[in-house]
């Protein structure tokens, strides 16, 4: 269960707001700076009891990214007219 969850958390669609929601959900503070954030930090954050909520969060992040991409494309299309 942990590997698919970690893979979904690694998605570029995960924005800072999603990480903040994750930290609030699991009750853990994660240092998100590139030089200190490690896989062990996620494993120590007790994610497994929150699998369903995390799946919703990461799924929502992916959908938001798709909407953002589509909106940018629409904006470009309008600029070209």
């Amino acid at each position: 269960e942990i590997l698919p969850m970690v893979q979904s958390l690694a998605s570029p669609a995960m924005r800072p707001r999603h990480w903040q929601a994750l930290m609030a959900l699991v009750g853990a503070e994660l240092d998100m700076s590139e030089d200190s954030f490690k896989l062990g930090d996620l494993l120590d954050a007790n994610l497994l009891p929150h699998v369903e909520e995390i799946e919703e969060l990461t799924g929502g992040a992916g959908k938001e990214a798709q909407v953002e991409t589509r909106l940018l494309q629409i904006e470009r299309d309008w600029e070209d007219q």
Side-chain angles (χ1 to χ4, degrees):
E1 287 183 34
I2 193 79
L3 184 59
M5 184 174 30
V6 169
Q7 288 174 325
S8 65
L9 289 169
S11 167
M14 288 289 291
R15 304 279 198 267
R17 66 180 176 269
H18 301 115
W19 287 104
Q20 291 296 325
L22 175 75
M23 288 185 267
L25 175 68
V26 300
E29 189 69 30
L30 300 170
D31 182 356
M32 300 304 297
S33 58
E34 284 185 37
D35 57 341
S36 66
F37 187 65
K38 306 284 186 245
L39 176 60
D41 297 330
L42 284 177
L43 298 176
D44 292 342
N46 196 30
L47 302 178
L48 283 178
H50 308 282
V51 171
E52 290 180 18
E53 295 96 334
I54 293 171
E55 286 174 352
E56 288 179 26
L57 178 71
T58 57
K63 289 176 184 174
E64 288 174 21
Q66 289 174 345
V67 169
E68 290 170 5
T69 300
R70 184 64 187 136
L71 286 173
L72 285 173
Q73 183 60 47
I74 292 170
E75 192 175 295
R76 286 188 202 113
D77 290 347
W78 275 97
E79 289 173 356
D80 292 341
Q81 292 185 8

